[in-house]
Amino acid sequence: MLRPIFGNDRPAPDVQTQPHVELRHWRIVQRINGKLHIVAQLASGSFRLTTMLVAIDLHHATVRTESGRCYHLCAPPEEDEFLRSAMDACTVRGLAFMSGDVSEIIWTAITSGTWSRDEGDLLPPL
């Protein structure tokens, strides 16, 4: 018998009840069409794949999604192999296809306060 990978699958709370989320375990993935999404393990232990990212505040390490929710990236991108595997499964399940992971590019821009000339602006300012 096949068991679901994510037993706690449910929609995110309404943005009005949860307008801001702090993330310590996250990655940012890019779809084939260039759109960016966060995949993360929340403090509750559940996993979330966000709606499309629409803006970023490099100085406050905050990104806003299409739904209007803001996510504060409190730590560098996740490196733990187990968590990354779970995040990859969540991404594939939610998006089907992705073209890459831009977490390090985003984190470098956050820590330096500016986009690399080679990469350009992946997101407009918040």
Side-chain angles (χ1 to χ4, degrees), residues 39-62:
V39 59
Q41 182 183 40
L42 305 177
S44 66
S46 63
F47 288 85
R48 181 176 296 172
L49 180 65
T50 68
T51 57
M52 179 183 76
L53 303 183
V54 296
I56 188 167
D57 180 335
L58 294 177
H59 300 289
H60 293 102
T62 301

Side-chain angles (χ1 to χ4, degrees), residues 23-88:
L23 297 178
R24 285 173 177 64
H25 306 284
W26 61 272
R27 301 293 298 181
I28 297 180
V29 295
Q30 187 169 36
R31 297 177 79 168
I32 293 169
N33 63 8
K35 296 180 187 212
L36 304 177
H37 299 262
I38 296 173
V39 59
Q41 182 183 40
L42 305 177
S44 66
S46 63
F47 288 85
R48 181 176 296 172
L49 180 65
T50 68
T51 57
M52 179 183 76
L53 303 183
V54 296
I56 188 167
D57 180 335
L58 294 177
H59 300 289
H60 293 102
T62 301
V63 293
R64 189 175 67 226
T65 64
E66 187 175 42
S67 70
R69 192 177 331 267
C70 288
Y71 290 88
H72 179 226
L73 307 176
C74 301
E78 186 58 56
E79 294 297 331
D80 179 87
E81 288 182 36
F82 175 76
L83 281 179
R84 286 193 64 178
S85 293
M87 289 176 182
D88 287 347

Side-chain angles (χ1 to χ4, degrees), residues 95-115:
L95 298 179
F97 298 102
M98 68 175 205
S99 65
D101 184 307
V102 296
S103 305
E104 298 302 331
I105 295 167
I106 299 280
W107 190 249
T108 298
I110 288 169
T111 56
S112 68
T114 188
W115 293 103

